[in-house]
Amino acid sequence: MSPALPPLAPAILATATPPIPAARAWARSYTGTAGPLIDLTQAVPGYPPHPALLERLATAAGDSACAAYGDIEGDGALREALAADISACYRASVAATDLAITAGGNLAFAMAATVLAGPGEAVMLPAPWYFNHHMALTMRGVATVPLPCRAEDGFVPDPDRAAALLDPRVRAIVLVTPNNPTGAIYPPAVIARFAELCRARGLWLVIDETYRDFLPDPAGVPHGLFADPSWRDVFVHLYSFSKAYCVPGHRLGAIAAGPRLREQLVKVLDTLQICPPRAGQTAIAWAIEALRPWREANRRLMAGRADAFREAAGRLRHWRLDALGGYFAYLRLPEGAPDALAMARHLAGERGLLTLPGPFFGPGQERHLRVAFANADLPRIAEVPNRLIQAG
């Protein structure tokens, strides 16, 4: 008789399989009949890092100082540079001591969530949600309370609906703007109302602003939360350097929060990462200010790709573009078409177009596909309607 296999952690077993590798596996049967494969599954910049940034990354990687441990909360030079950047963007005063650098934006969320909620408690996520947020909560034994967002509202979450759905388990509300997966951009007034709700109910408000460098109005203020002197009591800001600087492989993100949260966050930082990657920190600390014009040019480039996708979607008679922004478009399937999971499989295997089906992003998304157009040049974006028309 064979010995019993040792068990695995139940919370990990309950966590969803990573969606992007699963979706890419559907394309293995594609024979190329519709043209070259177009992979629109992952949110990656469609251009390389700046050559001077690559040079600094290479130099820092070869520096023995960057091979040593760094500060638990991140190197001072990067925290200072990011604090100045945040202060300028939000027209507020944010200090380096408000910041912790992390090994990527996903880890920023996972570590912040570890401090904010524990097993048996809950976090509210607008649905559709970013799947890695839901996965991070599930593997911690933290429940997700969905906040349904509607296409007729542009997928902007409703604070009144959130208030009605809160239950005693909820410790935090999470917003993502510009949103992943829909691309929706949340108005400052809506964000302010969520902050008021969280203050009134004694909850944390977590806002993931990974894509804030790609907002359509670079002169506008994304929200006014940092301008409130008491922001540190309720607000947690998440950021990623991956998109704006085209360095997702170097894994750098950030958390901005008040001293009460950061005092506990240090325990998680030290346990899960000890320190963030040193070479990337060194290079990005220089790049934040030095590459500001390059970042703005890339913002305009991405805005052009968004416009191109909107124009391409206008050629579709039966599909509907329900939301678009940042790196993403959220497409509604034609009436009578198969559900999103079946359609995404068909598009990948028969039409060579890789997208992510809505159910990967939570309940009630069976009629939508997420399209990450950021890595596609204009000719590939223009080709997308041809693949969809043939499929739908």
Side-chain angles (χ1 to χ4, degrees):
M1 182 176 180
S2 299
L5 294 174
L8 299 172
I12 297 298
L13 295 175
T15 301
T17 300
I20 291 175
R24 287 176 173 169
W26 300 334
R28 290 174 187 160
S29 62
Y30 179 58
T31 61
T33 53
L37 195 70
I38 300 176
D39 187 348
L40 304 179
T41 57
Q42 193 166 35
V44 294
Y47 42 84
H50 192 283
L53 177 57
L54 288 174
E55 290 177 8
R56 287 181 178 261
L57 284 166
T59 300
D63 186 344
S64 61
C66 289
Y69 286 127
D71 292 342
I72 290 174
E73 293 185 282
D75 292 353
L78 179 55
R79 293 168 71 196
E80 290 283 354
L82 180 59
D85 189 56
I86 291 174
S87 298
C89 178
Y90 297 89
R91 298 175 194 169
S93 180
V94 176
T97 52
D98 294 320
L99 302 174
I101 306 301
T102 65
N106 271 10
L107 193 57
F109 176 83
M111 292 194 292
T114 298
V115 179
L116 299 180
E121 297 177 328
V123 169
M124 176 174 281
L125 298 183
W129 54 56
Y130 175 44
F131 49 74
N132 281 145
H133 287 174
H134 182 251
M135 293 166 70
L137 295 173
T138 303
M139 66 178 58
R140 284 276 302 135
V142 176
T144 296
V145 174
L147 171 56
C149 299
R150 307 184 306 174
E152 52 266 42
D153 298 329
F155 289 101
V156 174
D158 183 342
D160 292 333
R161 181 176 294 182
L165 292 174
L166 288 172
D167 68 46
R169 301 172 302 156
V170 175
R171 298 291 176 264
I173 299 174
V174 176
L175 305 178
V176 181
T177 178
N179 186 256
N180 180 2
T182 66
I185 297 168
Y186 300 169
V190 171
I191 294 173
R193 289 181 60 202
F194 271 101
E196 292 168 4
L197 172 62
C198 287
R199 287 186 186 281
R201 299 292 186 93
L203 305 176
W204 291 95
L205 177 61
V206 181
I207 306 184
D208 184 332
E209 298 185 74
T210 292
Y211 301 95
R212 61 103 163 154
D213 297 281
F214 301 96
L215 287 165
D217 179 10
V221 178
H223 55 74
L225 270 57
F226 281 119
D228 184 338
S230 63
W231 72 265
R232 297 168 181 85
D233 297 334
V234 66
F235 173 40
V236 181
H237 165 82
L238 306 180
Y239 180 68
S240 170
F241 298 94
S242 294
K243 316 305 180 184
Y245 301 93
C246 307
V247 289
H250 286 276
R251 308 311 306 141
L252 284 175
I255 301 171
R260 178 167 165 260
L261 185 145
R262 287 195 342 274
E263 182 180 355
Q264 304 306 315
L265 179 66
V266 168
K267 303 173 186 178
V268 186
L269 292 167
D270 189 47
T271 302
L272 296 185
Q273 70 177 21
I274 300 181
C275 70
R278 302 292 310 285
Q281 291 187 81
T282 299
I284 297 297
W286 164 83
I288 285 177
E289 186 57 39
L291 296 185
R292 193 173 296 277
W294 177 76
R295 289 161 56 195
E296 169 57 19
N298 290 335
R299 186 199 65 80
R300 294 195 301 268
L301 185 151
M302 283 300 170
R305 291 185 180 182
D307 289 342
F309 194 90
R310 185 180 291 106
E311 181 180 348
R315 295 162 45 197
L316 298 167
R317 293 182 57 191
H318 302 295
W319 296 75
R320 191 172 81 194
L321 180 61
D322 274 345
L324 181 144
Y327 276 26
F328 307 108
Y330 212 51
L331 282 174
R332 181 182 292 272
L333 276 67
E335 294 293 332
D339 65 22
L341 191 59
M343 178 61 79
R345 287 178 180 271
H346 173 74
L347 285 169
E350 301 297 327
R351 305 302 304 161
L353 179 65
L354 276 67
T355 62
L356 292 185
F360 285 176
F361 302 96
Q365 306 305 310
E366 291 78 9
R367 304 307 301 171
H368 284 91
L369 298 177
R370 189 195 79 171
V371 177
F373 56 75
N375 72 331
D377 57 20
L378 297 183
R380 281 191 292 172
I381 290 174
E383 172 62 18
V384 169
N386 296 332
R387 309 285 177 100
L388 293 174
I389 289 168
Q390 293 296 321

